[in-house]
Amino acid sequence: MPKGLTSLSIPLLFCCRMFCAAVLENLEQTIVPDFGSLESQHDFRTPEFEEFNGKCDSLFFNDGQRRIDFVLVYEDESRKETSKKGTNEKQRRKRQAYESNLICHGLQLEATRSVLDDKLVFVKVHAPWEVLCTYAEIMHIKLPLKPNDLKNRSSAFGRLNWFSKILSVDESIIKPEQEFFTAPFEKNRMNDFYILDRDAFFNPATRSRIVYFILSRVKYQVMNNVNKFGINRLVNSGIYKAAFPLHDCKFRHRSEDPSCPNERYLLYREWAHPRSIYKKQPLDLIRKYYGEKIGIYFAWLGYYTQMLLLAAVVGVACFLYGYLNQDNCTWSKEVCHPDIGGKIIMCPQCDRLCPFWKLNITCESSKKLCIFDSFGTLIFAVFMGVWVTLFLEFWKRRQAELEYEWDTVELQQEEQARPEYEARCTHVVINEITQEEERIPFTTWGKCLRITLCASAVFFWILLIIASVIGIIVYRLSVFIVFSAKLPKNLNGTDPIQKYLTPQTATSITASVISFIIIMILNTIYEKVAIMITNFELPRTQTDYENSLTMKMFLFQFVNYYSSCFYIAFFKGKFVGYPGDPVYWLGKYRNEECDPGGCLLELTTQLTIIMGGKAIWNNIQEVLLPWIMNLIGRYHRVSGSEKITPRWEQDYHLQPMGKLGLFYEYLEMIIQFGFVTLFVASFPLAPLLALVNNILEIRVDAWKLTTQFRRLVPEKTQDIGAWQPIMQGIAILAVVTNAMIIAFTSDMIPRLVYYWSFSVPPYGDHTTYTMEGYINNTLSIFNIADFKNKSRGNPYSGLGNHTTCRYRDFRNPPGHPQEYKHNIYYWHVIAAKLAFIIVMEHIIYSVKFFISYAIPDVSKRTKSKIKREKYLTQKLLHESHLKDMTKNMGVIAERMIEAVDNNFRPKLE
């Protein structure tokens, strides 16, 4: 071989060797590490037991160096009762196998017995630097590159500095977080990251996330070629009693450790304490301590509450308008007038037991109805149709800002399969894309069968909810007869009870209370049913699981909460026939009728009881129950022992948050959002009630998290998930429901038709437009002699000279060629109602779509910030990469020159 070629091959081989080494290094760092596997279950690596060192606020192992990232709790089988030796031994071996595998995966464990209960053992888990770095790369966790001075956050109260200072959190107490350019962590670029202190580079929330990721995927048993793994299954089966990250200190006092940031104490003082109820939330600290998933919930709830302030102000204004103008309500005056309403005899509203009654006994309810059934209600319904669109569009912009501020814009969180899903993967198939074998839990036919069974189960339980609503309707029909029978038989009687408690009012109130009780009972059942159905469905990822459960739970709750309101608004009193030929429900019960003024007041009563009762019940559940449970737990512990119990034991005695985290908090607020938007035309004060409830809800939820519950595992997220499209669907439906409430439930359209068409010739007798005579015009006449069944009609003998009674409908009088058929007024009203619905829907939908188009989801300023940060981050990484390449190329060039020089110098000599 020529010498020249040999000399040139030296640098070429050197370059190839460096390239191959770099490729192999990158491959090793992108593969999930396996620090070892447990081949035999008879050779366990278990943690050593250590005595508690007496420092109650310590967050470290006994050596004071290694931080506690997670705590596992179990009950020592050797100190239990020996009635179940076989079961205890199996649990012990599974736990030993699991802990041994944790150690093989690089985690460090230290076990400590309980100070209060000698049977309890606390296993403290610590993740070393190498493990944190390896899994940070696997999980694509974004970490700081260099300080960022671009994020200058603007305040909504920027010009009102003094006002903003009162509402904001004191920055001397909770200091603003330093902002950084961030990038997904890579071990081979570790020098590019902003690492001043290894112990502080991964904050406690990130450390807990990484450790939980490992705990959820380490196996503890292999049976029939099926891996069993994950801390969740071990806790569910009772092998471990709990698994949780630690709070950093007590919520009432600062930690004794001077290096502790005392974030829990700061959150309680500046966020959860009642004296901070008027202050803005410290969202950055919430996000830092609990993670983005908790932070985005409180950001959304706070923004929703701020927007409710505007809706509440307009709603109160509309309510006051109706209240101040109720004395000018002409049709109410006619109902209450002794010479008009006092002389109108109304037909019985049920068979056999119901008497005839005078119209003026509904005087008080007609006055109340004037407050809600006014022109202000129409304005408010249109306003709320626009308000809900503004809320959703501005929330999208706010959410985009939070994505930028919290570094979740390009969240590269690779969604891992749930351990429950992976454990059921027994079928082997060929992936169509990779052409490699992969395991799935069931075949295509099995999946179709599961989906069919789940859909059938959901449909069955929805039918059961509807059956409960039908039961309430039967109750209403039955109890109305009882209340009607209690009315005095003398039509001229002056019983004071009749003035305020009419049969309709008594039936409405009692039915609403019973409906609320049934709703709360069914909620408890349906929560468990929805979870069982979703578990059987077996979604692959946690996001799929939560979205599937969200849709099922919302569907159940939607039917459960709103079905009674839909019945009152759109069905009650709409299909009743007339006294001579009433419509019977199930062939037995005569359909309910509304008051002469309509069913709007009854719908308002139903909404008030359900909204108010739901708020009270939820606060009892959220505040009293955890507090009582923790109080009982403290009572059973030794008196005064809290001073010597370590941090992990204090947290163990707090309440667990539950698997679904804030799912029920979201569900509660979305149901409230439905009440505020879907039926707001009947109750303008609904936004005010929601506003007051939400102000308390924010602080109650904050108090629960900081004082009563164990610390949650921090989770990353970009948005509020499936709740966003649900709110958009409610917003679209709300336009239809409010238009139909005004058209079909209230009496606004019939009054307008009478005012503009039937109060003046050719239909009316008045010379000018007026509302006088409206009541007489809208009550049809029925001849008592035309009752088809005398026993059913039950004419009352005390009627004297009266041979007719009146009923609520637009029908021709007796003796007319088309007696008891709908008259011309009826068809005018129906046409006006349909025209109103079409016009109102088109106007509001047009405004909604225009607003959605005009307001971009991401503001121009936020887009510029995102692009500039991305550009600077790429530039930073590129420059660093160029420096490394230039340095390496320089070394290679020097070696090449040296090799060429060494090769040719002897020749020249």
Side-chain angles (χ1 to χ4, degrees):
M1 184 179 293
K3 284 187 178 181
L5 184 60
T6 304
S7 302
L8 290 172
S9 65
I10 294 174
L12 181 62
L13 289 172
F14 180 76
C15 291
C16 291
R17 187 176 178 184
M18 287 186 64
F19 174 78
C20 293
V23 169
L24 288 172
E25 184 180 0
N26 286 333
L27 283 173
E28 288 173 359
Q29 290 171 347
T30 54
I31 296 173
V32 177
D34 185 8
F35 294 103
S37 60
L38 190 64
E39 299 296 339
S40 171
Q41 292 192 357
H42 300 283
D43 184 20
F44 296 120
R45 300 169 64 186
T46 57
E48 295 293 332
F49 277 86
E50 298 288 344
E51 293 295 329
F52 172 49
N53 59 15
K55 296 180 180 179
C56 62
D57 279 340
S58 176
L59 301 175
F60 296 89
F61 279 19
N62 276 0
D63 58 14
Q65 302 296 321
R66 292 172 292 175
R67 184 182 182 87
I68 301 172
D69 299 316
F70 227 86
V71 175
L72 311 178
V73 187
Y74 69 88
E75 197 168 4
D76 192 354
E77 290 83 0
S78 63
R79 309 204 178 197
K80 286 184 182 180
E81 299 293 333
T82 58
S83 57
K84 297 181 179 179
K85 285 186 177 180
T87 304
N88 292 341
E89 180 63 22
K90 287 180 181 178
Q91 291 186 347
R92 185 181 65 83
R93 297 196 68 80
K94 287 179 182 178
R95 188 176 60 252
Q96 287 180 339
Y98 182 70
E99 291 175 0
S100 181
N101 277 337
L102 290 179
I103 295 172
C104 290
H105 277 73
L107 298 180
Q108 298 175 2
L109 311 180
E110 181 180 87
T112 304
R113 290 201 179 274
S114 169
V115 174
L116 305 176
D117 185 354
D118 200 38
K119 290 184 291 185
L120 286 180
V121 177
F122 295 88
V123 179
K124 295 166 281 186
V125 183
H126 169 77
W129 172 258
E130 283 299 322
V131 174
L132 292 173
C133 291
T134 301
Y135 279 92
E137 183 172 4
I138 294 169
M139 297 169 67
H140 305 287
I141 295 177
K142 285 188 173 183
L143 292 168
L145 287 171
K146 63 176 289 188
N148 178 8
D149 55 356
L150 293 179
K151 296 185 179 181
N152 299 319
R153 300 181 185 177
S154 60
S155 172
F157 305 96
R159 297 179 181 178
L160 302 175
N161 292 328
W162 60 273
F163 189 64
S164 177
K165 200 169 184 180
I166 294 173
L167 297 180
S168 301
V169 177
D170 190 349
E171 292 188 357
S172 64
I173 298 174
I174 298 181
K175 297 179 180 178
E177 292 293 319
Q178 185 180 6
E179 301 297 338
F180 292 92
F181 290 115
T182 61
F185 185 77
E186 297 179 28
K187 285 177 71 176
N188 61 342
R189 290 186 172 182
M190 192 178 296
N191 293 333
D192 297 336
F193 288 86
Y194 192 75
I195 306 176
L196 297 179
D197 181 5
R198 283 191 170 189
D199 294 332
F201 182 62
F202 294 100
N203 62 36
T206 304
R207 297 176 68 99
S208 298
R209 275 183 62 209
I210 293 173
V211 172
Y212 182 73
F213 181 89
I214 301 171
L215 293 176
S216 299
R217 282 155 180 81
V218 170
K219 63 185 177 182
Y220 60 87
Q221 189 179 27
V222 179
M223 184 179 293
N224 298 327
N225 294 325
V226 177
N227 292 329
K228 293 187 176 182
F229 51 84
I231 188 61
N232 292 332
R233 295 187 68 178
L234 290 169
V235 172
N236 291 337
S237 61
I239 296 175
Y240 284 100
K241 297 179 72 67
F244 53 89
L246 290 178
H247 283 296
D248 63 352
C249 65
K250 297 178 182 178
F251 66 88
R252 284 198 180 94
H253 309 288
R254 291 182 178 272
S255 173
E256 297 173 359
D257 185 354
S259 63
C260 178
N262 297 292
E263 291 172 350
R264 185 190 186 193
Y265 166 77
L266 294 176
L267 285 172
Y268 174 74
R269 177 180 169 181
E270 298 297 322
W271 179 44
H273 199 278
R275 69 185 175 193
S276 302
I277 195 169
Y278 63 92
K279 290 186 177 181
K280 292 192 289 186
Q281 301 181 81
L283 292 176
D284 286 335
L285 185 58
I286 297 169
R287 169 248 181 171
K288 180 183 176 184
Y289 192 74
Y290 289 110
E292 285 76 7
K293 197 166 188 176
I294 301 292
I296 199 73
Y297 164 74
F298 282 102
W300 171 79
L301 182 55
Y303 196 80
Y304 172 43
T305 305
Q306 289 177 15
M307 291 294 290
L308 276 175
L309 180 61
L310 176 61
V313 170
V314 178
V316 170
C318 292
F319 174 80
L320 292 176
Y321 171 82
Y323 180 79
L324 296 174
N325 286 278
Q326 63 176 327
D327 293 335
N328 300 324
C329 190
T330 306
W331 62 271
S332 177
K333 289 180 180 179
E334 291 184 352
V335 171
C336 298
H337 199 285
D339 294 331
I340 302 176
K343 291 185 178 180
I344 294 177
I345 306 301
M346 301 296 293
C347 298
Q349 292 185 314
C350 67
D351 297 331
R352 298 184 182 89
L353 297 176
C354 294
F356 294 89
W357 50 286
K358 287 186 177 181
L359 179 62
N360 64 348
I361 69 169
T362 62
C363 176
E364 291 301 319
S365 62
S366 68
K367 288 180 180 177
K368 295 173 186 173
L369 188 60
C370 286
I371 299 174
F372 299 102
D373 195 1
S374 65
F375 182 72
T377 302
L378 172 61
I379 300 300
F380 189 55
V382 175
F383 166 79
M384 288 300 293
V386 177
W387 173 88
V388 70
T389 305
L390 291 173
F391 163 62
L392 293 175
E393 293 304 317
F394 282 123
W395 164 247
K396 290 178 186 176
R397 290 167 67 91
R398 175 60 178 149
Q399 190 169 257
E401 291 176 5
L402 291 175
E403 288 179 19
Y404 166 71
E405 294 172 3
W406 292 353
D407 290 320
T408 59
V409 175
E410 296 178 350
L411 187 60
Q412 298 180 15
Q413 190 172 6
E414 210 172 293
E415 196 76 51
Q416 302 288 331
R418 295 188 308 130
E420 294 85 354
Y421 178 90
E422 292 180 345
R424 299 289 295 274
C425 290
T426 56
H427 298 274
V428 179
V429 296
I430 302 298
N431 189 299
E432 294 181 358
I433 299 173
T434 63
Q435 293 298 312
E436 295 178 356
E437 288 188 353
E438 66 176 13
R439 290 181 176 270
I440 58 173
F442 30 72
T443 61
T444 304
W445 284 108
K447 186 175 182 179
C448 292
L449 180 62
R450 282 176 178 262
I451 292 174
T452 303
L453 291 174
C454 290
S456 302
V458 170
F459 183 68
F460 169 77
W461 283 99
I462 288 176
L463 289 179
L464 197 60
I465 299 174
I466 295 173
S468 70
V469 175
I470 294 174
I472 293 294
I473 296 173
V474 172
Y475 165 82
R476 298 172 72 98
L477 297 172
S478 303
V479 81
F480 178 76
I481 299 174
V482 176
F483 283 121
S484 297
K486 298 299 181 181
L487 286 174
K489 300 298 181 183
N490 185 4
L491 291 174
N492 296 319
T494 57
D495 189 347
I497 296 178
Q498 290 184 42
K499 187 177 180 182
Y500 297 101
L501 192 63
T502 63
Q504 293 90 344
T505 305
T507 302
S508 175
I509 293 174
T510 56
S512 297
V513 172
I514 293 173
S515 177
F516 170 72
I517 293 171
I518 292 176
I519 284 171
M520 302 315 295
I521 293 172
L522 291 178
N523 274 350
T524 305
I525 299 172
Y526 295 146
E527 286 174 7
K528 294 181 174 60
V529 170
I531 292 172
M532 288 173 59
I533 294 173
T534 310
N535 288 340
F536 178 76
E537 187 181 335
L538 202 64
R540 182 178 178 274
T541 65
Q542 185 63 24
T543 300
D544 294 339
Y545 181 89
E546 291 180 1
N547 289 343
S548 178
L549 182 62
T550 296
M551 298 308 297
K552 292 182 182 65
M553 281 296 294
F554 177 74
L555 193 58
F556 287 151
Q557 300 278 25
F558 184 91
V559 179
N560 197 19
Y561 275 106
Y562 302 143
S563 53
S564 59
C565 295
F566 274 101
Y567 165 72
I568 295 171
F570 306 125
F571 295 99
K572 183 182 176 183
K574 305 300 185 294
F575 313 100
V576 296
Y578 62 96
D581 187 20
V583 176
Y584 288 91
W585 197 73
L586 299 178
K588 181 180 179 182
Y589 298 100
R590 180 170 164 178
N591 276 1
E592 281 188 285
E593 296 182 33
C594 295
D595 275 340
C599 287
L600 190 69
L601 187 61
E602 187 172 349
L603 179 59
T604 303
T605 304
Q606 180 85 0
L607 286 170
T608 305
I609 291 175
I610 292 180
M611 279 192 70
K614 181 175 175 292
I616 294 170
W617 176 252
N618 286 335
N619 284 325
I620 290 174
Q621 278 189 313
E622 294 177 8
V623 177
L624 287 183
L625 290 183
W627 181 75
I628 290 172
M629 294 297 292
N630 287 331
L631 193 66
I632 293 172
R634 285 195 294 268
Y635 177 78
H636 284 92
R637 279 179 266 159
V638 181
S639 178
S641 61
E642 190 173 349
K643 294 181 180 178
I644 60 170
T645 51
R647 171 84 271 133
W648 50 86
E649 192 154 357
Q650 293 176 34
D651 285 5
Y652 170 71
H653 290 291
L654 296 176
Q655 296 300 305
M657 187 65 183
K659 295 179 183 178
L660 298 176
L662 292 172
F663 173 82
Y664 296 110
E665 310 299 334
Y666 272 117
L667 183 62
E668 176 189 346
M669 289 295 103
I670 295 298
I671 294 296
Q672 181 207 87
F673 179 76
F675 280 121
V676 169
T677 54
L678 291 174
F679 306 102
V680 75
S682 66
F683 191 34
L685 294 180
L688 178 63
L689 292 182
L691 174 66
V692 174
N693 176 76
N694 287 7
I695 291 172
L696 297 176
E697 181 75 20
I698 291 173
R699 306 302 164 174
V700 166
D701 288 344
W703 177 81
K704 281 192 314 182
L705 286 177
T706 54
T707 67
Q708 303 300 308
F709 286 93
R710 297 170 189 159
R711 188 173 181 178
L712 294 171
V713 179
E715 294 182 60
K716 281 271 187 182
T717 190
Q718 283 182 300
D719 48 40
I720 60 175
W723 301 110
Q724 183 80 22
I726 287 175
M727 286 195 297
Q728 291 172 341
I730 291 174
I732 294 172
L733 181 61
V735 177
V736 180
T737 56
N738 284 302
M740 293 182 69
I741 285 172
I742 293 173
F744 292 106
T745 310
S746 77
D747 248 14
M748 185 174 296
I749 302 301
R751 289 201 302 270
L752 290 174
V753 171
Y754 176 81
Y755 181 83
W756 292 107
S757 299
F758 285 82
S759 64
V760 294
Y763 301 108
D765 300 328
H766 301 280
T767 56
T768 58
Y769 297 110
T770 180
M771 284 301 296
E772 292 181 7
Y774 171 74
I775 290 297
N776 185 62
N777 191 269
T778 55
L779 293 177
S780 299
I781 301 172
F782 180 76
N783 191 343
I784 296 173
D786 291 337
F787 276 115
K788 289 183 178 179
N789 189 334
K790 298 292 183 182
S791 63
R792 281 201 162 192
N794 189 27
Y796 182 57
S797 59
L799 283 173
N801 297 326
H802 293 283
T803 58
T804 61
C805 61
R806 309 294 290 270
Y807 61 99
R808 174 185 166 86
D809 208 342
F810 306 111
R811 293 179 183 267
N812 293 314
H816 192 278
Q818 293 184 328
E819 66 175 2
Y820 304 134
K821 299 294 183 182
H822 287 117
N823 57 23
I824 189 66
Y825 189 10
Y826 171 82
W827 298 110
H828 275 73
V829 169
I830 289 295
K833 286 181 176 181
L834 294 177
F836 171 80
I837 291 174
I838 293 171
V839 171
M840 181 176 173
E841 285 182 359
H842 279 70
I843 290 175
I844 296 180
Y845 281 139
S846 299
V847 173
K848 285 168 68 71
F849 292 139
F850 173 76
I851 291 174
S852 300
Y853 176 77
I855 302 176
D857 293 348
V858 184
S859 66
K860 186 176 180 181
R861 183 178 181 182
T862 304
K863 282 182 180 177
S864 300
K865 286 182 178 180
I866 293 171
K867 289 179 180 178
R868 176 155 178 78
E869 180 175 345
K870 188 175 181 179
Y871 164 74
L872 292 175
T873 302
Q874 290 178 343
K875 184 180 178 182
L876 179 66
L877 291 174
H878 182 66
E879 287 178 352
S880 175
H881 187 59
L882 279 178
K883 283 183 181 179
D884 292 340
M885 285 186 63
T886 304
K887 185 177 179 181
N888 291 335
M889 291 300 293
V891 173
I892 293 171
E894 288 178 2
R895 293 186 179 181
M896 288 178 66
I897 292 170
E898 184 180 350
V900 170
D901 200 26
N902 292 336
N903 195 24
F904 285 101
R905 183 174 296 169
K907 217 175 187 183
L908 293 173
E909 290 175 352

